[in-house]
Amino acid sequence: SMRAVLWHGDPDPAKMKVESIQKPSPKKGEVLVKVRACGVCHTDLHCIKKHLPFPSPAVFGHEISGTVVEHGDGVNTSRLPLGGRVACTFIMPCGSCFHCKRGEEDTCAPFFA
């Protein structure tokens, strides 16, 4: 298990609390990151306040940094070693454009098109 602040759909952020939830397992091409710092951005607040549709329960915060603690199949472990420190982007890169193929997923062309 792991601890996370869980949102159950209430528009009052004060009702969110730290809970124990099941730790996810990384899928193919993914790593599991133990979060050391997390930013909450305005998009998260829009979801909490129900200005944007979002399923609940949910764990918010997509601007994180931490350490790699587990690999999924097919991960380049020399690029992302266990214990390696990482900062995660807020985007969902395509993985196949010019920038993604160069390891510059934070500038993914289709995401910013």
Side-chain angles (χ1 to χ4, degrees):
S1 70
M2 62 180 236
R3 294 181 321 138
V5 175
L6 205 59
W7 175 68
H8 289 281
D10 194 297
D12 181 1
K15 299 216 173 144
M16 297 169 66
K17 61 182 181 176
V18 176
E19 299 182 35
S20 287
I21 61 173
Q22 184 176 351
K23 181 181 81 166
S25 295
K27 298 175 185 149
K28 182 178 181 181
E30 295 181 342
V31 298
L32 182 63
V33 175
K34 181 175 183 177
V35 177
R36 300 283 297 169
C38 177
V40 176
C41 80
H42 211 74
T43 302
D44 299 319
L45 296 176
H46 281 302
C47 293
I48 292 167
K49 295 289 188 178
K50 299 192 174 194
H51 300 155
L52 296 172
F54 205 84
S56 65
V59 176
F60 287 112
H62 52 260
E63 299 166 346
I64 67 166
S65 63
T67 54
V68 175
V69 295
E70 194 175 335
H71 294 117
D73 290 338
V75 171
N76 180 341
T77 58
S78 62
R79 183 172 178 228
L80 294 165
L82 290 177
R85 291 186 274 184
V86 294
C88 303
T89 63
F90 67 95
I91 65 169
M92 300 292 288
C94 72
S96 60
C97 72
F98 172 79
H99 298 290
C100 286
K101 287 182 179 177
R102 294 179 49 170
E104 300 170 354
E105 294 90 351
D106 59 322
T107 55
C108 174
F111 182 84
F112 290 104

